[in-house]
Every structure is written in C-alpha cells, then in structure tokens.
C-alpha cells in the first residue's frame, strides 16, 4: 500500500494519505535549535540538546504514537464544525478532508482542504536563528464569506530537562508560569532564579536566569488565549476535541502550578477567494527577544514583503547546493532518488544529530558515540569535506592517549582535560565504563577517505591533542590506535572484543577475540602502511606489514572453516559462528569484512560471500546471523535477550547491508550488489508501506528477520549508521567513485542491465561530468576513459588532466 510519492524535482517526499503506518518525520533546524516533525505536525523542539533543552512536549510511545505537536485548529463559527490544519489531531473523515504533507530539506509543508477552506503551513527554522516559523496561508475557495476562528497551539515543557519534565512532577509542575503579552504567550520557568549550573552537584550558591519561551503571532490580532494546557483542552478531553475549540473561545487562563501551553485564538472573516498569511513563531527567549522576532515578521507582512518565504528559499538553496556535489541519473529512479536526495540528506541529519533526537531516541545520550560519529563522517565527506574535517579533528581529540576512543564524547568535550574509562569518574559522568574494541579503528577509513577526497595530505601531520593528555600528529594518533588493539589480544593472536565491537551485544572481554575487530585491525594496518610509505617511514611500514602477515596466518589457521569465517572466540575457547554450532552458525560481518579489509581475496572471498547469499539473504536484506539464539545462552552473546529475528538476534541489521553491498562490488558482483541494495532500498518499499512501516525515504536501524511475525517491518527511523554505510557502498562501490591521493578512479560495479548512466560530481572544486557507456553489458571493468577528448587506458584520471569543467566518458568492457 502506498501513502505518498517522491517529487524529485523539488527534492520532496509527498505524503498524500495522512494515516501512515507510523509517523513519517523530518528534521528542522540546526544543532543550536532543532526540531523533529511528523507528517501530522507532531514532534518536539529543543535548544542544543534533546535531553536537556527540550522546549515543547512530545509523548514517546503514546497510543497514537504521534502527539502532541504544532497544531493549528480551525473552526467555522457559523455551525461550530472544527478541524485541524494537519489531519491529526482532529482527524476528520478522509472522505471529506484532503491532506498533503511535503517533507523537504529542513522544512515541512502541511496542507489541508476542508469545506472550501485551504490551508498550507510551512514549518521551518530560518538559517542561523533560534526559533521556528509556522507560516500559515489560509484561503477561502468557496463562494460565500466565512467566519472562522483559528487556534495555534503548542504544549510547553515545564522543565528543559526531558526526564524532569516527564517524571519529576512534584518539582516541575511548580516552577512554570505563563503570561499573555498581547501578541504572544510568554512562559517563564524559575521566575525567581533558576538552578545554577555548577560543578558541585546540588550546589545552589548562585542562581541563574529564569528560562523563557514564547509562542507568538504576526499577521493577525489575538482575540483570546490560554497559557494553561488543561484550560485549553478541558478536563477528560484529548487533543482531538479541545474545549476551547469546541466552544469557539479560549478562556484567557494563564498557567501557574500546572501544565503550560501557548494557545492563541485569531478570529477572521474570509471573503470568497480571499487568502491571508499568518505567521506563528515559537522559540526560547524572553519578552524582548520574542517582541523583536515577532515584530520583524509583522513589519514584513505589513510592508508587503515575504520574510518567511525568503527565509524558506534561503534554506532550500543552502541544502540543495550541498546535495549538488553529487547527482546521478541511472535507469533506476529509486536508486537516483536515494543518492541525489534522501540518503544524502539522511547522512547529514545523522551527522548533525548523531543518535540524539528522534521518535525513538529521546535525547538522553548527551554526547557523541565514538564509533557512530566517526562512521557518520564518512557519509558526508564527498558532499562537504570541510564539515567532515572539523568533526574528524574533534573525534581525534577524543581519542585517549592509550589509543582507544572515549565511548561517549560529551557535547562539552575539552581535549586534554577529559577523564577516561580507566577512571571511575568517567562512568559517573557518562554511564559508560569500558572501552570498545572497535572505536578508534573507524578512524582509518575515515581519515583515508577524507584525505583522498579533499587532497589535503597535510592533514596527516596536523597535531591534535588526545582526550586526556598530550598531543600528537594524526599519523601518530593512528599508530597509537593500532597499538591499543595490539596491546589487548587473546590466545589466537586476534584482538580482544572488550566491552563490545561493532556489535553492542557481544561482550567478549579482555581475552575473548573478535574477528570483526581482527579484520578492522588488518584494514587499519594496510591503510597505515600506505600512509607510512607515503611519508617515507619504512620502519613503520615494515611494522604494519609484519602484523598483517601474522594476522594472515592466524586467519588461515583459526578463523577460516571450509567456506566461511567464524565470528570470534570466547575466553573459554568456544568458537562463535562456527558452522558446527547449532545456533548462530553463520555470521554476516566477518564474511563482508574479510573482503573489505583485503584479508580475503579470490576463492575465499567468493565462498564467504556465497555463504551469505545462500544462508542469510532474505527479500528484505541479509540477517546478521542465523539461526537465532534461542536455547543456547552464551553469557557473552547478549542478543539472546531480543526476540528471535530481531535486531542483533538474527534480525536484518541495516548498517551491515552497506558493507555487504561494498564487499560484493569489490569482488565485481554488480548484479548481486544491486540486488542487495534493492532489498533494503526504502524507496523500493514505497508501495509496501504496510509491511515496512517506516518512512519510505529513510533507512531504519533494523528490519525484522524471517523468524518474527512481521518479517520486513523496519524500526528506529532516521538516526542510524546505515545512512553512511549504504552511501559509501553506493558512491565508492556501485558508482565506483574512488578518489586517490593525486586523482580519481572511476570504476563502477553495476547491474549488467544498465547500458548507460551519468554522474555529476564536484571533485576538489572541479566539475566531473561523467557519462558511463556500458553497452558491453558488464558488471565491472573499465576499458578506457575519454577525458576532455583524450583517451586514457584503465579507470584512473590524474588530477593534472582535470580542467575546471570536465567531460569524461567511461567505457566499460
Ligand atoms: C547501535 C549502535 O549505534 C551501533 O554503533 C552499533 O554498532 C549497533 N547498535 C549494533 O550493535
């Protein structure tokens, strides 16, 4: 069943049926002021942190799963009939109520048509601003004049901190007041002085400023208000039938010791054909800030200028220009859609918000997870090198001087001054007490990709502090990351799995060994060896090479079983992922990473990937392993806690699908890589939303495997490393865009049925206008290139060949 479609030319997804299986969301704003909004206007907003800067409420996991939000009610005063500008919360019968939601780049427009009244509300956070705009256009499309009342409404939190607001009611109910200020409701929290932020827990020596929020309107007079939620809704009512709307009159009740809200009533008459624009404004700030903001829109509206419209266009221009750096046109529109817009946009959103704020993450992880963040960077390098470098430097500065990564990098991270997981204080501050084995190893592909995309080889020598003490060049940071794993090994000579490797449920400890980390380490060594050779450091290159040879032998002797790699070894010597095991006897990640790392080539790579295809693949992607853990409880394999077929217990975890696609392209299987991509392509599930549930334009964290009641249902939208792994697999693997130190390889690995396609890529500021000719029906293999008229054998273009604009023909064969 479909609920909408893609509008490629406007870079929007259009929801045409509002009763989507789950809320289908979008992100607004920046890390300074962020917001998430569903196709029914539900969601929340926050300043800086989803956990401790929450300004409006959203009820996670509530019955409708989609309330409350940013609501505009409309009432026909001739007969009292009322509806809302978004289908929820009033939910008029869809036979008489028309609805459309357009999710675009950092904005969402929700339209309604009901009884000859049309509304269109654009929700967005203007660039570099700390408030949000709901730009409402309302039009009477009928033949008679209409007497209407509008009610803009939002439920404020009483406390910035999400948990305090939700559960600590004996406190949070009694600190908030609201005032009506003519054109806005002002909420004041801790009017007599707020809790001071202090290093001494519970210290109250210095009082901070009160916290203020506002909800205001420009373009119309306010005729009545409510600042108290229950006065607006009425007792024993819901958002679907607020008393104020039913009666047609807000009660002018401010809040004092109860739940605050901003509800503003506007009465207006609309002549036939008449259209009005009204702008609601919501933000954090005191009366002065509120007035400044509201007055700027009032002035624009009365002067006839479209400030909100201009701001919206500014946002579109910024976002579209970011996406312009890679645009493709292939025979598959769903594929193009993801690359040109949605997967790229999701990479940016995940990069910006990490795992902080969604309809599943409520923001309580107050910092950046090391592995997630370093991987997220990879998803945007080809689109915004500078942003990538900035975050990469931050993450290098969150590496401990022993080489490991800080599991959680606090938002107020201070390089050189942080405590580490070796100290109990770190656990007190972050709730994390141990090192992960894989964290710093993600730096290798990320640093390499950054250097090759940007051409900034000198980054390798940049001196960056460690998190706890000292400083070193990026090169030395990387060497130390390798040392961290070499210092922590088990009896087969593979790295220990420590608190976890990529798989959060595998707790292999200081002696149990992880093959995932072993392959990551192998890959890290090969990248480092390459760096060492380029820097003319032969001893380092030999050191890396000797560890690679040692690992090669260990892989051969202990990790390879006929046609597959095992997943690891427990401290007691049990082999995880052995084909002799009753449960979990074939795992996805060691097979793909054996190929990605370069450790497995030729026959072994082919056999390992065939095992995946034959034993793990489903029509919705490959399962993480199979069969699920059910009876065999391994203390180190905590995924048994999940129902079979779910998440890490034989679910189809989405992030590793990107590695699978990449691995297949590395061995030249374009058809299979594309088949895997299609199985997990959200856009390909647009017609089957009732199965997938999640937004058909974004990847989710996991899809249910074959053992569940809902095979194919995806969970945990938006903020997932899948965005970056799939992006990398497409850009680097399928499209074959592989920047090198002094040039670029263009070496696609595609379905043989694609006879041609085009790519526009900006590479170090130069335009590459690429046309791929695959009339030979290949999956991989480039005969020659024609670069600006010059024929070059193979797939490599040296940078010296490139002009500002380049026409490149890639002839496969
Ligand atoms: C979710 C985490 O964010 C990701 O880093 C991890 O690798 C997966 N869980 C798998 O356990």
């Amino acid at each position: 069943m479909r609920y909408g479609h893609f509008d490629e030319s406007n870079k929007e997804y259009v929801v045409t049926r509002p009763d989507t299986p789950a809320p289908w969301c979008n992100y607004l704003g920046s890390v300074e002021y962020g917001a998430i909004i569903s196709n029914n206007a539900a969601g929340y907003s926050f300043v800086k942190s989803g956990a401790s800067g929450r300004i409006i409420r959203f009820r996670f996991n509530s019955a409708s799963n989609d309330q409350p939000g940013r609501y505009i009610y409309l009432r026909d005063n001739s007969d009292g009939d009322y509806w809302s500008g978004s289908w929820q919360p009033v939910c008029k019968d869809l036979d008489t109520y028309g609805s459309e939601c357009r999710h675009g780049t950092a904005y969402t427009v929700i339209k309604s048509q009901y009884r000859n009244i049309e509304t269109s509300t654009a929700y967005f956070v203007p660039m570099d601003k700390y408030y949000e705009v709901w730009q409402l256009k309302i039009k009477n499309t009928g033949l008679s004049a209409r007497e209407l009342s509008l009610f803009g409404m939002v439920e404020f939190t009483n406390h910035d901190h999400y948990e305090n607001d939700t559960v600590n009611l004996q406190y949070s109910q009694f600190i908030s007041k609201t005032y009506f200020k003519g054109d806005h409701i002002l909420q004041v929290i801790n009017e007599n002085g707020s809790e001071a932020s202090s290093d001494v827990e519970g210290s109250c020596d210095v009082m901070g400023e009160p916290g203020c929020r506002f909800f205001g309107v420009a373009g119309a007079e306010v005729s009545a208000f409510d600042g108290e939620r229950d006065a607006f809704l009425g007792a024993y009512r819901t958002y679907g039938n607020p008393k104020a709307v039913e009666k047609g009159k807000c009660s002018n009740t401010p809040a004092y010791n109860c739940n605050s809200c901003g509800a503003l009533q506007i009465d207006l008459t609309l002549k036939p054909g008449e259209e009005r624009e009204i702008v609601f404004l919501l933000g954090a700030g005191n009366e002065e800030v509120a007035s400044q903001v509201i007055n700027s829109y009032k002035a624009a509206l009365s002067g006839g200028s479209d400030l909100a419209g201009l701001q919206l266009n500014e946002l579109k221009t910024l976002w579209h220009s970011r996406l312009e750096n890679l645009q493709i046109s292939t025979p598959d529109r769903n594929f193009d859609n993801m690359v040109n817009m949605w997967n790229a946009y999701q990479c940016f959103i995940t990069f910006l918000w990490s795992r902080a704020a969604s309809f599943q993450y409520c923001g309580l992880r107050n910092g950046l997870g090391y592995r997630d963040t370093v991987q997220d960077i990879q998803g945007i390098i080809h689109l915004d090198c500078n942003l990538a470098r900035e975050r990469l430097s931050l993450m290098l500065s969150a590496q401990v001087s022993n080489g490991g990564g800080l599991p959680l990098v606090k938002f107020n991270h201070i390089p050189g001054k942080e405590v580490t997981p070796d100290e109990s204080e770190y656990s007190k501050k972050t709730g994390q007490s141990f090192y992960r084995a894989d964290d710093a190893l993600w730096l290798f592909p990320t640093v390499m990709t950054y250097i090759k995309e940007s051409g900034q080889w000198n980054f390798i020598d940049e001196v960056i502090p460690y998190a706890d003490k000292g400083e070193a060049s990026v090169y030395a940071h990387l060497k130390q990351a390798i040392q961290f794993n070499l210092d922590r090994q088990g009896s087969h000579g593979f790295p220990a799995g420590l608190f976890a490797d990529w798989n959060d449920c595998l707790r292999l400890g200081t002696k149990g060994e992880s093959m995932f980390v072993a392959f990551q380490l192998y890959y890290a060594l090969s990248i480092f060896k390459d760096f060492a050779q380029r820097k003319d450091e032969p001893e380092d290159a030999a050191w890396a090479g000797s560890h690679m040879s040692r690992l090669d032998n260990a892989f051969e002797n202990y990790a390879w079983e006929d046609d597959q790699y095992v997943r690891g070894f427990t401290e007691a010597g049990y082999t995880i992922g052995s084909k002799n095991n009753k449960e979990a006897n074939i795992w996805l990640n060691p097979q793909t990473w054996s190929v990605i790392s370069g450790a497995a080539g030729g026959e072994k790579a082919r056999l390992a990937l065939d095992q995946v295809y034959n034993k793990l693949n489903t029509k919705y992607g490959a399962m993480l392993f199979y069969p699920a853990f059910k009876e065999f409880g391994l203390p180190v394999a905590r995924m048994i806690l999940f129902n079979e077929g779910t998440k890490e217990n034989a679910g189809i975890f989405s992030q590793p699908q990107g590695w699978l696609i990449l691995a297949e392209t590395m061995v030249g299987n374009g058809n299979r890589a594309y088949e895997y991509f299609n199985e997990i392509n959200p856009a390909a599930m647009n017609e089957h939303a009732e199965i997938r549930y999640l937004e058909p334009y974004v990847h989710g964290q996991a899809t249910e495997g074959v053992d569940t009641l809902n095979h194919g249902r995806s969970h945990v939208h938006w903020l997932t490393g899948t965005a970056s792994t799939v992006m990398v697999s497409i850009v680097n693997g399928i499209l074959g865009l592989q920047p090198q130190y002094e040039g670029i390889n263009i070496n696609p690995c595609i379905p043989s049925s694609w006879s041609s396609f085009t790519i526009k890529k900006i590479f170090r500021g130069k335009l590459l206008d690429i046309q791929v000719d695959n009339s030979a029906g290949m999956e991989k293999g480039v005969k020659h290139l024609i670069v600006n008229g010059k024929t070059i054998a193979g797939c490599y273009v040296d940078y010296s060949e490139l002009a500002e604009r380049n026409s490149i023909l890639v002839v496969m064969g």
Side-chain angles (χ1 to χ4, degrees), residues 355 371-372 502-504 648 653 655 701:
R355 306 298 175 271
R371 92 161 69 95
D372 289 341
W502 168 85
N503 192 320
D504 290 322
E648 282 95 336
F653 224 89
Q655 197 179 357
Q701 185 202 54

Side-chain angles (χ1 to χ4, degrees), residues 423-672:
E423 296 150 82
S424 59
E425 215 189 318
Y426 183 74
S427 157
K428 256 197 262 160
K429 286 193 167 164
T430 64
Q432 315 273 329
S433 44
F434 303 100
Y435 289 102
R436 269 79 167 150
D438 63 324
D439 276 343
L441 292 177
W442 294 107
L443 291 168
F444 290 82
T446 310
V447 168
M448 178 186 70
T449 308
Y450 166 72
I451 290 178
K452 289 185 173 176
E453 180 75 46
S454 64
Q456 299 292 317
W457 167 246
N458 58 7
F459 182 62
I460 204 79
D461 294 322
E462 187 166 311
V463 174
I464 292 179
Y466 283 110
D468 52 337
K469 58 173 192 269
E471 60 178 25
S473 66
V474 170
Y475 180 78
H477 271 261
L478 295 177
K479 190 171 180 194
Q480 194 62 354
I482 291 173
Q483 196 58 49
F484 178 86
N485 293 95
L486 294 179
D487 289 345
R488 292 162 180 78
Q489 296 201 358
S491 59
H492 301 92
F494 295 126
L498 306 183
F499 186 69
D501 59 17
W502 168 85
N503 192 320
D504 290 322
C505 299
L506 264 189
R507 308 268 165 96
L508 293 167
T510 51
K511 287 287 166 220
E513 293 157 288
S514 159
M515 293 315 299
F516 193 139
V517 182
F519 288 126
Q520 270 193 296
L521 178 61
Y522 189 88
Y523 191 31
L525 286 162
S526 75
I527 293 172
F528 183 76
K529 188 174 160 204
D530 186 37
F531 287 159
Q533 281 161 343
R534 258 185 87 78
K535 271 182 71 67
D536 202 13
E537 298 282 359
E539 275 177 30
D540 282 351
W543 170 78
S546 72
H547 281 292
M548 288 173 76
S549 310
R550 186 180 59 75
L551 280 171
D552 276 330
N553 288 332
F555 291 139
E556 180 66 35
N557 294 334
Y558 310 117
W560 178 248
E561 274 186 352
D562 306 335
D563 49 10
Q564 69 181 55
Y565 284 97
V566 304
R567 181 62 172 83
F569 302 93
T570 68
E571 201 167 328
Y574 175 80
T575 307
I576 302 170
S578 163
K579 57 196 320 174
N580 304 316
N581 298 347
K582 196 165 153 245
E583 297 177 346
N585 54 34
I586 163 84
W587 290 58
L588 173 61
N589 288 334
Q591 318 315 325
T592 54
W593 269 84
S594 69
V595 177
I596 293 171
S597 64
E603 181 70 352
K604 280 205 175 81
R606 193 185 59 72
L607 287 169
L609 292 178
D610 281 353
Q611 281 290 85
V612 170
Y613 192 67
N614 296 331
K615 297 198 170 157
L616 296 176
N617 192 28
T618 76
K619 56 180 172 173
Y620 304 116
M623 295 177 289
L624 208 48
F625 59 75
Y626 205 71
F629 281 116
K630 182 151 175 69
E631 282 157 18
F632 185 69
L634 201 56
V636 297
R638 288 164 54 93
M639 56 283 279
I640 196 169
L641 299 175
F642 293 127
N643 298 330
E644 310 90 82
T646 309
K647 291 187 50 127
E648 282 95 336
N649 192 12
I652 302 164
F653 224 89
S654 311
Q655 197 179 357
Q657 310 302 314
W659 299 323
L660 177 55
I661 297 166
L662 185 63
E664 287 288 0
T665 63
M666 290 174 75
V667 300
N669 288 337
N671 288 332
R672 214 191 255 176

Side-chain angles (χ1 to χ4, degrees), residues 28-30 32-33 105-106 124-133 297 307-308 310-322:
L28 316 176
S30 68
E32 296 300 324
Y33 184 103
T105 44
F124 62 95
V125 177
M127 239 156 72
D128 305 325
K129 301 288 188 219
Y130 306 105
Y131 58 85
E132 68 193 63
V133 171
Y297 290 85
L307 176 59
L310 288 173
Q311 289 175 327
L312 184 54
N313 278 337
E314 209 174 17
L315 269 186
K316 285 186 193 171
T317 308
L318 169 81
W319 274 99
H320 291 189
S321 73
R322 276 182 177 159

Side-chain angles (χ1 to χ4, degrees), residues 329-332 750 752-758 771-775:
S329 175
T330 73
D332 180 349
I750 54 173
S752 48
S753 59
W754 285 7
S755 55
S756 66
F757 66 100
T758 61
Q771 171 120 29
V772 179
D773 170 2
N774 187 29
S775 36

